[in-house]
Structures are given as structure tokens and as C-alpha cells.
Amino acid sequence: MEDSSATSDQLYVAAYPFTDDVLNLPVKDIKMTAEWYSDAFGLLEVERRESPLPAVMMERDDVRLGFAVNGGDASQEGAAILVTDIHRARDELEAKGVETAAWRVDERDGKKFQVFFVVAPDGLCYYFHQPIEDA
């Protein structure tokens, strides 16, 4: 295995909200949320606050997700996470016991994407995707 450069380790490229804001995703318990996302997604906690609402900001590869006890419906929220290596993303999650689903190819705007989904214990849904480059 060869080690190219520091950027070759980057997995997360961007996170896009399903509805409003990837920095204000609804959860019921900040402590459990921070622990689960740290373990499962490899996110690091970068900020926590109690006021005006309990919230935590987490990050990986300069991509941030934020969680707040804001009364929102987690089953209607989540994020689309663009990754550099869809196979690595799925393998990492499954190695940590996270169930992945719907491994498939989607087409949007004339482009193809390899994708899969994760539904977190808090009910939030994540759409992991990577563009498929035509050879």
C-alpha cells in the first residue's frame, strides 16, 4: 500500500441538507449523538453549547454536521454526504457495525453516482454519494 499525500486520506468532501440546514439536525440527546457520530462516522466534536438549545458541532475533513435538541422530526431530516471513495466510506461504516442500504447507481443531471444510505439510531438519514467517472 502506498501513502500518497495528506489529502489522500480525505474521505468527506461536502454535506448538503435534505431540507434546511446540516448544522441544525434534530436530535433528542446531545451526549449520545456526539458519541455515536464520533464512533460511527469518525466525526470529531468541535463545539458544544447548552444555550439557546443544546447543540453540538462535529467535523471530519473540514466537513461539518451540527446537531441540536430543537424539536424537529429526525425522520424527515438528514444530509447528502459527498465522499472521495464510496467503497471506503461503506467499508468503514460496516466495520463499525453500521448498517448500510440501497447500494446502487443514481443518475442526476446527466451524471451517475454510486450511492448508499445510512439511517442513524436517531432517525436521521444519510445519502452517501460519489460521482462515477466515465472511463
Side-chain angles (χ1 to χ4, degrees):
M1 304 248 162
E2 101 185 27
D3 182 21
S4 311
S5 66
T7 57
S8 69
D9 289 339
Q10 180 178 355
L11 182 59
Y12 287 32
V13 176
Y16 307 97
F18 283 172
T19 57
D20 296 324
D21 186 358
V22 295
L23 301 180
N24 196 32
L25 297 169
V27 296
K28 294 189 184 308
D29 184 307
I30 290 299
K31 183 177 186 285
M32 286 175 48
T33 295
E35 289 171 2
W36 191 84
Y37 285 95
S38 175
D39 181 53
F41 282 23
L43 299 177
L44 299 174
E45 184 174 326
V46 294
E47 180 185 341
R48 189 182 292 221
R49 64 180 183 271
E50 293 301 320
S51 176
L53 299 169
V56 64
M57 188 74 58
M58 302 188 76
E59 178 178 278
R60 178 172 179 173
D61 301 326
D62 294 323
V63 175
R64 287 191 173 200
L65 294 173
F67 307 92
V69 180
N70 58 21
D73 182 357
S75 71
Q76 301 300 310
E77 282 283 358
I81 300 176
L82 178 63
V83 295
T84 59
D85 184 336
I86 196 77
H87 296 278
R88 179 176 149 210
R90 185 178 67 165
D91 291 349
E92 275 188 17
L93 288 160
E94 289 178 348
K96 294 174 182 176
V98 176
E99 186 176 330
T100 63
W103 180 260
R104 67 179 192 227
V105 173
D106 283 355
E107 191 167 338
R108 292 187 313 275
D109 302 323
K111 295 179 184 174
K112 291 183 179 181
F113 297 85
Q114 183 67 55
V115 309
F116 68 88
F117 290 86
V118 168
V119 177
D122 52 29
L124 293 167
C125 181
Y126 296 92
Y127 174 84
F128 285 82
H129 63 290
Q130 177 186 13
I132 297 172
E133 302 297 329
D134 292 327

